[in-house]
Amino acid sequence: MSAHCQLTGRRPGFGNTISHSHRRTSRRFDPNIQRKRYWLPSEGRYVRLTLSVKGIKTVDTIGIEAAVTRIRARGEKV
């Protein structure tokens, strides 16, 4: 599963792990991605979305219909 949110577009950030001796190695900061199933009343079916926790809170605020509209506006398939 790719680590990006369908609604907010959050993707992994990259940086360095710095050891006690101050050696640097590459690392990746993944967003908190969850797969969640929502009932979409306009289409009479469930949709499974890959969302960050911030995206889940956004869906709770604006509603699933508006969220699916935003996702489709970004060009992603739902």
Side-chain angles (χ1 to χ4, degrees), residues 10-44:
R10 287 178 185 246
R11 292 188 176 271
F14 294 90
N16 291 310
T17 299
I18 302 179
S19 69
H20 180 71
S21 64
H22 218 65
R23 290 182 60 151
R24 294 182 172 127
T25 54
S26 293
R27 63 161 295 178
R28 179 173 142 144
F29 297 90
D30 285 328
N32 188 358
I33 297 293
Q34 310 290 323
R35 290 197 66 189
K36 192 145 169 62
R37 194 174 82 144
Y38 290 99
W39 174 252
L40 195 57
S42 63
E43 297 180 16

Side-chain angles (χ1 to χ4, degrees), residues 4-11 50-51 67-78:
H4 83 279
C5 176
Q6 289 181 299
L7 181 60
T8 62
R10 287 178 185 246
R11 292 188 176 271
T50 305
L51 300 171
V68 168
T69 305
R70 283 189 192 179
I71 292 169
R72 287 182 174 148
R74 292 182 74 234
E76 294 205 30
K77 185 180 172 190
V78 177

